[in-house]
Amino acid sequence: MHQISRRKFVALTATGIVTAPLALRASARVTAQEVIDRIKKNLGVEWKPETVDTFKAGDPWAAVTGIVTTSLASLDVLGRAVKERANLIVTCEPTFFARADSPTPPVRRPSGPVPGGRPTPATPLTPSPPAAPDPVFEAKDEFIKKHNLIVWRFSDHWRMRRPEPFAQGLANALGWSKFRDPGNPTRMTIPETSLEALVSHVKQSLKSRGGMRIVGDPRLRVRTVALLPGTTAIQASLEVLPDVDAIVAGEVREWETVEYVRDTVALGGKKSLALLGRIVSEDPGMQVCAEWLKTIVPEVGTTWIPVADPYWRPV
């Protein structure tokens, strides 16, 4: 077997070419499945048998060249991942526009006369034909395949981690980490300011373009804030609103929480609601994910790629 001289070995070590025994360097190869196994092992929550957190595209047993975390794997994000030479995309939200996350358009639900809401032998459901190919679905799927990307969704279980990483990330992005309530990390007690000044700070911090929508008096004095990134059911809003001046949320149903807060204001309540958009509000939480992944997968680089606010406002 060829022997490397001591002098040459020392020279190579000094230049960084030889930094570990060959066997150790060979073992540094990690597959996408091994990355996910480490996530499951180190996350600190029980893994649910039914979950959206599964591979959506690519070969789980391919070697990982780099990891990208993001709130949504848009074509822009995927393109930036390719430039970063990263092939494992860890995304919070679906890649293919629906919960099913299939690279083909979803099939319409069966239709037909259903008396009383239930099918009967006399009135069977009429199956819908398969969905026609869609150029956007196809182009995105082809891009992923062309660049040998692996897409894995990480939503259900990342939200279960404590402290809640999406609220933690949003607080970090807003510079409010030191204002967190120790007993409730989603609640902040900030220096008193006006609602108008608060939402301006949020807009600048998150580089929001047009997706923000505000309910409440701009002159309202705000000191206590609840952070509810992602999508929020009205029950969560009802629980926190009595104890805070403002809710900063991702998205809600307009006919629920928005109208409840508006009626609260009409009744004289000193309350407000700021909606950032679901994806923008979740983005900082995936930056937290990137920092965490660096600690459990040190063999490859991990990069957070934010998703820009997709909206703009007319002049």
Side-chain angles (χ1 to χ4, degrees), residues 89-135:
I89 317 301
V90 177
T91 175
C92 174
E93 297 296 344
T95 302
F96 290 104
F97 322 109
R99 182 178 177 84
D101 235 349
S102 169
T104 57
V107 178
R108 293 179 59 185
R109 293 180 179 179
S111 59
V114 187
R118 296 181 180 180
T120 66
T123 57
L125 294 177
T126 303
S128 298
D134 180 275

Side-chain angles (χ1 to χ4, degrees), residues 3-293:
Q3 298 289 330
I4 185 171
S5 70
R6 182 177 182 276
R7 178 179 295 179
K8 188 172 183 181
F9 179 85
V10 171
L12 291 174
T13 303
T15 60
I17 296 176
V18 176
T19 58
L22 291 177
L24 181 59
R25 284 191 288 151
S27 67
R29 179 184 183 275
V30 59
T31 68
Q33 183 61 61
E34 288 170 337
V35 171
I36 306 315
D37 290 341
R38 291 191 200 179
I39 289 175
K40 293 179 179 181
K41 179 180 178 180
N42 292 279
L43 189 60
V45 302
E46 184 178 354
W47 204 260
K48 301 188 297 185
E50 298 294 330
T51 177
V52 298
D53 295 346
T54 59
F55 286 102
K56 307 303 178 183
D59 179 8
W61 299 106
V64 175
T65 58
I67 303 172
V68 158
T69 69
T70 185
S71 60
L72 190 143
S74 65
L75 271 172
D76 175 65
V77 167
L78 295 176
R80 291 163 68 185
V82 171
K83 291 180 180 179
E84 292 282 345
R85 301 183 185 278
N87 64 342
L88 175 57
I89 317 301
V90 177
T91 175
C92 174
E93 297 296 344
T95 302
F96 290 104
F97 322 109
R99 182 178 177 84
D101 235 349
S102 169
T104 57
V107 178
R108 293 179 59 185
R109 293 180 179 179
S111 59
V114 187
R118 296 181 180 180
T120 66
T123 57
L125 294 177
T126 303
S128 298
D134 180 275
V136 178
F137 277 83
E138 289 185 338
K140 197 168 193 180
D141 187 40
E142 288 173 3
F143 184 91
I144 291 171
K145 291 177 178 177
K146 176 182 176 180
H147 295 284
N148 298 312
L149 299 179
I150 309 155
V151 181
W152 186 71
R153 190 172 174 193
F154 193 25
S155 177
D156 288 345
H157 295 87
W158 187 233
R159 297 179 196 280
M160 294 167 61
R161 185 172 165 83
R162 293 296 178 267
E164 206 280 353
F166 290 103
Q168 179 186 0
L170 188 53
N172 293 346
L174 297 176
W176 291 353
S177 298
K178 61 185 176 182
F179 303 132
R180 277 198 295 255
D181 183 335
N184 183 357
T186 66
R187 177 172 169 165
M188 312 284 128
T189 301
I190 64 174
E192 186 174 305
T193 186
S194 69
L195 176 61
E196 186 172 32
L198 181 143
V199 296
S200 294
H201 169 72
V202 172
K203 177 181 179 180
Q204 292 174 5
S205 300
L206 301 180
K207 298 180 174 59
S208 178
R209 300 193 308 165
M212 288 185 65
R213 292 181 292 173
I214 319 301
V215 179
D217 185 347
R219 299 166 297 177
L220 175 70
R221 304 306 295 177
V222 177
R223 191 162 186 268
T224 53
V225 182
L227 300 183
L228 301 178
T231 185
T232 302
I234 188 172
Q235 290 83 0
S237 299
L238 293 176
E239 289 176 5
V240 302
L241 190 60
D243 298 321
V244 298
D245 304 316
I247 293 175
V248 177
E251 67 175 8
V252 299
R253 286 180 175 172
E254 287 191 341
W255 53 272
E256 291 182 342
T257 305
V258 169
E259 294 306 321
Y260 180 85
V261 175
R262 179 155 70 165
D263 282 352
T264 299
V265 174
L267 291 169
K270 305 298 184 181
K271 304 294 180 181
S272 58
L273 172 69
L275 299 177
L276 313 178
R278 179 168 180 165
I279 304 304
V280 170
S281 74
E282 290 175 335
D283 242 343
M286 296 310 289
Q287 183 178 22
V288 174
C289 182
E291 295 305 314
W292 177 68
L293 285 177

